[in-house]
Structure formats: C-alpha cells, structure tokens
Amino acid sequence: MTVVKPPGRYRNLALGLLAAGVMAVAGTAAPASATATATDSAAASDSVQASTLGAQAAQSGRYFGTAVAGGRLGDGTYSTILNREFNMVTPENEMKWDTTERSRGSFNFGPADQIVNQATSRGQRVRGHTLVWHSQLPSWVSSIGDANTLRSVMNNHINGVMGHYKGKVYAWDVVNEAFADGGSGAHRPSVFQNLLGDGFIEEAFRTARAADASAKLCYNDYNIENWTDAKTQGVYRMVRDFKARGVPIDCVGFQAHFGTGGPPASFQTTLSNFAALGVDVQITELDIAQAPATAYANTVKACMNVARCNGITVWGIRDTDSWRAGENPLLFDGGGNKKPAYNSALTALGGTPAVKAAANTVTKAAAKTPAKSPASPASSAAALPGSYGWSSSGVLMSPKPDSTHNIAGLKDPTVVYYNGKYHVFASVASSSGYSLVYLNFTDWSQAASATHYYLDRSAIGTGYRAAPQVFYFAPQRTWYLVYQTGNASYSTNTDISNPNGWSAPRNFYSSMPDIIKQNIGNGYWVDMWVICDSANCYLFSSDDNGHLYRSQTTLAQFPNGFTNTVIAAQDSNKYALFEASNVYKVQDSNQYLLIVEAIGSDGRRYFRSWTSSSIGGSWTPLAASENNPFARASNTTFPSGAWTRDISHGELIRAGYDQTLTINPCKMQYLYQGMNPNAGGDYNTLPWRLGLLTQTNSTC
Ligand code: 9MR
C-alpha cells in the first residue's frame, strides 16, 4: 500500500513514551492527577454530595428548575439563588398568550427573551409555558366565533412563538389545563374546545412538532397526580390514544400544586403508568402549602423512582415570590434562606444537604471514594450507575499482515451488530502510516479467525485514513463510515458487508474550522464522531490539546452543512480530556453518555464519562476521575491474564446500528484497544490489539 505518513498524534514522540510508560516523561508532562481531575473542570466528579438542587438532580440525569418572574431578575437575592440552585427555567407568565400576542398577529417577545437570554447564557435550559390555554388568553381570542378563524389563529400563535424560540426551548407545554375538574374525565369548556372540538389538542401538537422538531412537546395539567381521579384517567386515555395513533407527544407535566399533605399516595404509580405509555413525565409547578419537609421529600422520591421522570420544577423561588404567598409553599423563605424542605428535597435527590458536605469542600479523601449509584431502586434500572467495574476478555483480534500490508497495530475499533453479525472497522498502523480494515463474525469467539479486508482496495483508497466510526443513516438508507484524513471524512455504502462498496472519501468541512485553528495549539485534529437526534446531527472531534469540539447540521442536510463549531468540553490539563470521544443515547432514558479518553498519572490510557440530557450538553461528570474512572485497568479484572494496562480508543456495543447511536445501559460492553505493557518504541509501531470489556456491576 502507498501510505502517506499521517500528520498528528501518530508521530507524537512524547505520547509514544507516555504510552510506553516512561514515567519521567509522564511526570514532567503533568498528566491528570486524581486531585487535579476532581477539582478541575470535573469539579466534584467523584461525589454524589452535590450542594445544589440542580447539580444534585443532574447526578441522575435529571434537572431541577424553577418558575422565573422577569420582573424579579434585578433582585440580587433572587438571582443569586436562581443561578446557584437551578438548571431549568420556566417563565412564569412571560410566554403566555396575553403577553406574547396581545393583539392579533402582533408578537411581543421582549419579556420572555430577557428570561431566555439570561438562562441560556448561564447554561440553564428553558421550559416553554404555554401555547394553548383557556386562561391568560386575550379577549380578542376568546371572543372569536368561528372555527376556521380560531384554527388559523391558534396555529399562527404556535408557529409564531415556537418559531421565535426555535432550538432554544427544551420542552413546551403545548396545551395547558384542557381537562375539566370533577368526575367527568372530559375536556373543559373553552373557546378552543367549544369551536374546534376534542381535536384541538391533537391539532396543536401536530402544529407544534412542525414548528420546532427539537423541542419536547408536553401536555400539562393540575390535579392529575392521583391515579384513580377521573381527570387523571381522562388525560391518560388521551396520551394513550395519541401514542397509539402517532400524534406527536413527548411528555406529560404534572403541576403538583399540593396541599399540606403533599402528593397523593399513588403519585409514583401515576408517574410510572404515564411513563409506560412512552412519554417522559415531569413535575412542572411544584409547591406545597406550608412546605412540609416530608411532603417535599415524598414528591421528589416519587420522581426519582421513575426512570422517565426526568425533571422537577418548583413554581417560584422564595415564599414571597409565590402565587400562593400566604401559604409559604416554596423551598426558600422570604429572606432567601433555605427551609427544611430544601434539605429534604436535596436529600431525596440522592445527595447530602449542604450543611454536611459541600462540593467545594470535597477533600482528597472524599474524592477517592467511588461515587455510589445516583438514582435508586429497580424502576430506575435504566439509568447509568455512577461507578463501574469491568471484566476483560483476552486479545480477541490481532493484525493480519499480508504481502502488501505490513501491520504493527490493530486500533480504534468501531462496531455494529447487524443482520446476525458483528461488523468491525478499525485502523491498521505501521511505521509507514495508517489505513482501515474491515472484518465480520457471528460471535466474539469467531473474531480471531475472521478475514481482514483492507479498505485501501476500495474507493476509500490509500493514504492516511484512521479512527473509523460506522453507522446506518436511516433517513438515507445508507451506511456511513466516518474517519480522519487530516480533515473529517466519510464514505458511504449500501451494504455494510461489502468491503468494496465504499465510496471515495469526501470531507465534512472545507477546511479546519476557525475555532479549532485557534485552540489546537500543538495538538492534532482527530477522532471524528457523528451522532444524531430526531432533528440534528452533531460532529464531535478532539484536538489532543484539551478540547472537544462539536459542529451541527440538520438531519435533512446531513452530511452537509456542519457549521457552528463550538467547544463542547475542555480541560486545562490536555491529558485529562485527550481524544477518542464517544457520545451515545442511553436507551429508554433522556440521557446521553459522553466518554473521553484520558492519559492517567501512570501514563496509561483510560476513560472518563459524563451525562447530559441533550447532545449539546452541558455535561455532568458521571465517573470522571482517575479514582472513579469509567473504564481503566484499575476497575477491570482480567480473568485470562492482564495483557494490557491501557484501556484505549474503542466503542460501546450499541443496541441498534442507526445514527442515534443508542446503547442499552444494562451489562454494557466496550470494544477497546490495549497492548502489551512492556512494549515501547515508535508510537506507530506499538502492538495494539483488540479486546472486549463486559460490565460487572450492572444493576439490571
Ligand atoms: O404563577 C402564575 C401567576 O403569577 C399568574 O398570576 C397566574 C395567572 O393565571 O398563573 C400562575 O401560574 C399558573 C400556571 O401558569 C399554570 N398552572 C397554574 C399556575 C398557578 O396559577
């Protein structure tokens, strides 16, 4: 093969020495140390003892939000608590129809923009509240007398408001409080119901989906927390019907305006019954008369015990901010002091009240204690645990040099299970450079005997091609192989099992994005990774200089249009956030998992992990330190012999094979590269081999 010697990390002598375990270099190069990692960008990464509601909720992939009144943002006590405690914000009144479209066709977004802009700039997400509601509705709407006019007015309102906030709102309360109180289980009378009939809710959701496909669409109501109530049952029947008929609905909001007794005993049952329909459930407007600590704890626990209950919002910050101020129903008193209910809510979220342990006082000893599993019982089984154990296979795949391919290392595997076979693509490395290889087999026991097909014989051609990622892009019914060539490149194929079917390389970018040029320093642009949600595709890459980048395009434009390149994560210690990042969707949850390869204080490769409820972040440490790593030799057993001390570049085995990169969080498996710890010399000739980790501490 004709190989152009690759630029980049593959000629990085220092890294070669590090990989070979030359500790003098590792020491002077100051790789990640346990304390640096725990106190750095991954602050409190080892601890479940977060000191704020938002940080604690994030430990289990949830959010903790509050209603915000724009008029109070100038109040220092208010905004201090807001920005310290909460990572989701609901404008209390500013997105309602009587503010956003007071007269027909004339939209006013000023008040809500103020809240949204402040929240976004602080990394808080936004719940949109609300689009179609009988209350706080201008009289020009409630006095409309014919169905066609109202239909067009309703759809125009949804399009106008959602269009303005497109991409900026996590979830919309599309329709609010449409069901009647009492025993009927029917819709309540309203101008929408009276003129458009039962179908107005469905129409609103369909319009909303088309207006912003990136927002979750919720139905929101009060007095639907008690399972046997007629109103609860009415809403349940509607959601079941919507799911059965494909009407777009993603979540149900339970307002949870409770009396002193707190939630009904059946609240958790209600949440899990709705979740079982295939929607997220959220507590959207929580307040409890007199705020008894136990009542708050019971409410939070009900959510924590349901995997798809992915967030809690309280309806205001201080008692004096509440619409029920006379009942002192919130977590902070009028002076902004934490009430007993605050500590009980924080504890129920899985942490310890700040009085006992604050994140900023995490000690070295505390940082060495592995985190306990964040959420609790069996019903949360789908959530990822906060610490990991693995068992490794022996070497499963080794290079198979032939007369024209002199190979030293088999590296960087990507894998899908499709049509009864594992399909593995990997880099092959030698002193002359890098190219790609493909093999398939039905079972791991067959991996060693699989034929290696060198992809430089396809239209992919010769030259620097490395670090592949394969997935099926369902919208185009096409397989994509993403890899690095100095640029981020891809080839396509309609048949994954045909190694000759791959197209010639094409680039995702015309050239390296400016933000990468500005931050890459002496690093190298490597390890491109694509993942898509229902609206967008994202292209991640690393620079071996402490930065993880993310670009974005729409699902419709993919593979073109990757712009908006941003720094998705960074660490001042480049070895702590090095390369080989993977992002996955966690099945049946709202979580995404990010893992990034780091170089430890022993000079060996290992993985750190974070979670987020969206691909765009922000990323919360999961198992993210040397002492509590995602995958490292130190949390791996080697029943057939410790053949490697590096757990390096690879991929989790996915639940499917499409562009969503979905993983099943139960008994995870990770295909990785490792090598003989005694090997050394030129980085390109290191003897990398492939092995498989299987999770040993799975709770499901
Ligand atoms: O908290 C809101 C209050 O400031 C408004 O005056 C009131 C007007 O109806 O709406 C309150 O918020 C409501 C929310 O939008 C929907 N669920 C019930 C909430 C409490 O009334």
Side-chain angles (χ1 to χ4, degrees):
M1 73 184 163
T2 319
V3 175
V4 178
K5 196 156 191 176
R9 80 200 221 241
Y10 301 107
R11 286 188 283 127
N12 187 325
L13 183 60
L15 293 179
L17 293 171
L18 274 173
V22 179
M23 289 309 296
V25 174
T28 51
S33 73
T35 42
T37 307
T39 55
D40 218 309
S41 63
S45 59
D46 278 340
S47 176
V48 291
Q49 300 172 334
S51 63
T52 66
L53 298 164
Q56 189 57 59
Q59 298 261 7
S60 66
R62 294 176 170 85
Y63 64 81
F64 206 99
T66 180
V68 165
R72 298 184 199 273
L73 288 173
D75 173 334
T77 309
Y78 183 88
S79 58
T80 299
I81 301 171
L82 167 62
N83 296 325
R84 187 186 69 215
E85 297 288 342
F86 300 100
N87 50 18
M88 183 71 76
V89 157
T90 307
E92 187 173 357
N93 290 298
E94 292 77 356
M95 286 180 164
K96 293 173 181 174
W97 201 316
D98 62 359
T99 298
T100 51
E101 197 185 2
R102 183 174 280 282
S103 57
R104 185 169 176 178
S106 164
F107 288 95
N108 168 28
F109 297 117
D113 279 352
Q114 186 197 9
I115 297 175
V116 172
N117 291 341
Q118 286 213 15
T120 307
S121 72
R122 295 191 161 90
Q124 295 157 326
R125 289 180 295 161
V126 176
R127 289 192 88 266
H129 175 82
T130 174
L131 296 165
V132 180
W133 186 26
H134 65 275
S135 181
Q136 287 177 279
L137 188 65
S139 56
W140 71 265
V141 184
S142 48
S143 61
I144 288 173
D146 78 284
N148 285 342
T149 304
L150 183 63
R151 178 172 290 113
S152 107
V153 159
M154 179 182 84
N155 289 331
N156 188 56
H157 182 74
I158 295 170
N159 285 327
V161 179
M162 287 186 76
H164 180 77
Y165 293 108
K166 193 168 180 166
K168 294 183 176 174
V169 168
Y170 163 71
W172 272 104
D173 291 333
V174 177
V175 175
N176 194 41
E177 301 175 7
F179 278 72
D181 294 313
S184 72
H187 293 181
R188 77 164 67 235
S190 72
V191 68
F192 304 106
Q193 180 69 28
N194 301 349
L195 292 188
L196 303 177
D198 283 350
F200 88 89
I201 304 181
E202 171 172 350
E203 175 147 2
F205 274 85
R206 289 192 187 279
T207 303
R209 178 66 95 224
D212 181 359
S214 70
K216 289 184 183 287
L217 305 182
C218 304
Y219 176 79
N220 190 53
D221 214 329
Y222 65 90
N223 281 355
I224 58 168
E225 294 84 7
N226 185 26
W227 175 240
T228 54
D229 283 356
K231 190 172 175 182
T232 310
Q233 291 297 309
V235 175
Y236 180 81
R237 281 193 297 273
M238 176 189 76
V239 177
R240 188 175 57 189
D241 170 58
F242 278 16
K243 295 302 284 187
R245 292 191 297 111
V247 179
I249 184 167
D250 306 306
C251 36
V252 175
F254 298 79
Q255 293 185 8
H257 294 295
F258 292 135
T260 45
S266 64
F267 187 33
Q268 184 179 319
T269 301
T270 304
L271 292 175
S272 55
N273 286 349
F274 273 88
L277 294 175
V279 287
D280 293 339
V281 291
Q282 298 161 357
I283 295 173
T284 51
E285 303 182 14
L286 177 61
D287 48 23
I288 309 180
Q290 309 312 332
T294 313
Y296 263 99
N298 289 343
T299 309
V300 172
K301 280 182 201 161
C303 181
M304 295 298 289
N305 287 340
V306 176
R308 288 198 77 159
C309 182
N310 62 334
I312 299 172
T313 295
V314 287
W315 205 241
I317 297 179
R318 301 163 301 195
D319 286 335
T320 42
D321 303 319
S322 171
W323 70 298
R324 308 166 71 183
E327 296 177 281
N328 298 318
L330 295 174
L331 299 177
F332 296 87
D333 68 19
N337 304 301
K338 295 171 184 173
K339 294 164 59 180
Y342 172 95
N343 282 344
S344 75
L346 185 66
T347 306
L349 286 169
T352 306
V355 284
K356 287 196 193 153
N360 56 11
T361 59
V362 168
T363 61
K364 230 171 157 180
K368 281 183 179 156
T369 310
K372 68 176 186 196
S373 183
S376 39
S379 55
S380 299
L384 292 165
S387 63
Y388 291 84
W390 306 90
S391 173
S392 178
S393 70
V395 172
L396 293 180
M397 288 166 260
S398 301
K400 292 193 176 177
D402 65 16
S403 57
T404 54
H405 298 85
N406 170 30
I407 313 269
L410 183 61
K411 307 191 50 171
D412 313 327
T414 180
V415 55
V416 288
Y417 188 76
Y418 170 73
N419 224 0
K421 286 182 176 172
Y422 290 100
H423 300 260
V424 173
F425 298 78
S427 309
V428 285
S430 72
S431 55
S432 50
Y434 284 74
S435 72
L436 303 175
V437 70
Y438 164 71
L439 53 155
N440 69 46
F441 44 86
T442 53
D443 188 89
W444 295 108
S445 64
Q446 306 295 309
S449 53
T451 302
H452 287 203
Y453 298 94
Y454 290 101
L455 297 183
D456 57 5
R457 294 182 174 133
S458 75
I460 288 176
T462 56
Y464 170 40
R465 285 105 175 81
Q469 182 211 8
V470 71
F471 60 89
Y472 182 71
F473 189 66
Q476 296 169 1
R477 301 183 179 200
T478 300
W479 292 94
Y480 274 77
L481 192 66
V482 173
Y483 47 92
Q484 71 201 40
T485 57
N487 200 317
S489 303
Y490 65 91
S491 294
T492 58
N493 193 343
T494 52
D495 177 3
I496 192 175
S497 64
N498 175 12
N500 294 317
W502 292 102
S503 65
R506 283 182 215 113
N507 292 338
F508 285 111
Y509 303 99
S510 54
S511 62
M512 183 188 284
D514 285 344
I515 190 168
I516 304 183
K517 284 185 194 152
Q518 288 151 14
N519 289 281
I520 192 166
N522 293 322
Y524 305 104
W525 191 24
V526 297
D527 297 340
M528 288 72 186
W529 181 266
V530 169
I531 177 172
C532 309
D533 58 24
S534 57
N536 296 304
C537 292
Y538 304 82
L539 173 49
F540 289 83
S541 60
S542 294
D543 68 1
D544 284 353
N545 195 36
H547 304 100
L548 176 67
Y549 300 99
R550 185 187 71 241
S551 309
Q552 187 173 331
T553 191
T554 62
L555 208 57
Q557 278 186 289
F558 179 84
N560 302 311
F562 274 113
T563 53
N564 305 329
T565 306
V566 297
I567 295 176
Q570 59 186 322
D571 199 304
S572 54
N573 174 1
K574 67 181 179 182
Y575 299 114
L577 196 84
F578 202 62
E579 56 187 21
S581 66
N582 297 175
V583 182
Y584 300 99
K585 173 76 169 64
V586 181
Q587 197 170 46
D588 295 329
S589 85
N590 266 329
Q591 277 189 318
Y592 288 86
L593 170 70
L594 164 68
I595 64 175
V596 183
E597 187 181 16
I599 303 177
S601 49
D602 56 356
R604 298 292 170 180
R605 305 293 180 112
Y606 74 103
F607 282 89
R608 305 172 65 205
S609 61
W610 294 258
T611 59
S612 173
S613 57
S614 69
I615 301 175
S618 58
W619 295 101
T620 303
L622 180 69
S625 71
E626 287 208 72
N627 293 303
N628 182 32
F630 180 72
R632 195 179 190 211
S634 59
N635 67 347
T636 301
T637 58
F638 292 88
S640 49
W643 61 276
T644 178
R645 285 171 57 203
D646 291 283
I647 306 291
S648 182
H649 193 139
E651 267 194 26
L652 286 166
I653 308 303
R654 303 174 212 159
Y657 47 84
D658 71 12
Q659 73 283 350
T660 64
L661 310 187
T662 303
I663 54 161
N664 181 335
C666 291
K667 299 190 184 66
M668 291 191 288
Q669 292 193 301
Y670 184 76
L671 182 64
Y672 73 102
Q673 63 173 25
M675 68 165 169
N676 180 343
N678 300 317
D682 176 48
Y683 188 81
N684 287 7
T685 62
L686 292 173
W688 295 99
R689 306 287 182 260
L690 304 185
L692 183 71
L693 301 181
T694 300
Q695 190 189 0
T696 53
N697 71 326
S698 180
T699 53
C700 43

